[in-house]
Amino acid sequence: MLAIITPYRHRSAHLQRFLTHYKDMQVFVIEQADNKHFNRAKLFNVAADLLTNGVIPNEFTHFVFSDVDMLADDKSIFTPCDVAHLAGQASQFRYKLPYPTFFGGVAMISKEVFLKVDGFSNDFWGWGSEDDEMYNNLVNNGFQVEYRAGRFKSLVHNPADRSHHPKNILRNLA
């Protein structure tokens, strides 16, 4: 069974559209309520932990980690596999990958693989880089990332919402 996990903060219009779009699927919204830089990866980890450790009774075998502003044109893209980047064609990038190892927006990871790589790093505050680190972690642990050409509509949002934490910027320069 598949669980769609989306981190959320301060985008109520996006959340409403996301929930309406995926109303026929199991969606779990995890909200960051503090005023610190957004920590998308940590929210993914908390939700996966709740679903994995029986706090929410389930039989989920696969997690889809999705931004709240990404809507699939065709939900058949969610066919389970070990690891896949699903949003290979997102409107925000003119329906092309921004770079060959891009792992952002929407990704699927089986619960088994997610546990083996110990989830996302919690060290990324603000926008960017947590997906790149997860990609590297998956590949370094011997997992192959399947790239699917799923078409996704990217809901418009203010680029100023992308607060870059200095630590993330330094990681990108290394």
Side-chain angles (χ1 to χ4, degrees), residues 71-74 77 86-91 95 148-153:
L71 306 178
D73 284 0
D74 180 358
I77 195 72
L86 304 179
Q89 297 179 8
S91 62
Y95 299 102
R148 296 185 181 171
R151 286 180 63 91
F152 281 77
K153 176 178 176 61

Side-chain angles (χ1 to χ4, degrees), residues 10 13 17 19 21 32 45 53 78 83 110 162:
H10 305 312
R17 287 194 61 192
L19 293 173
H21 187 76
Q32 183 173 330
N45 289 336
N53 292 312
F78 298 116
V83 181
S110 73
R162 295 179 175 175

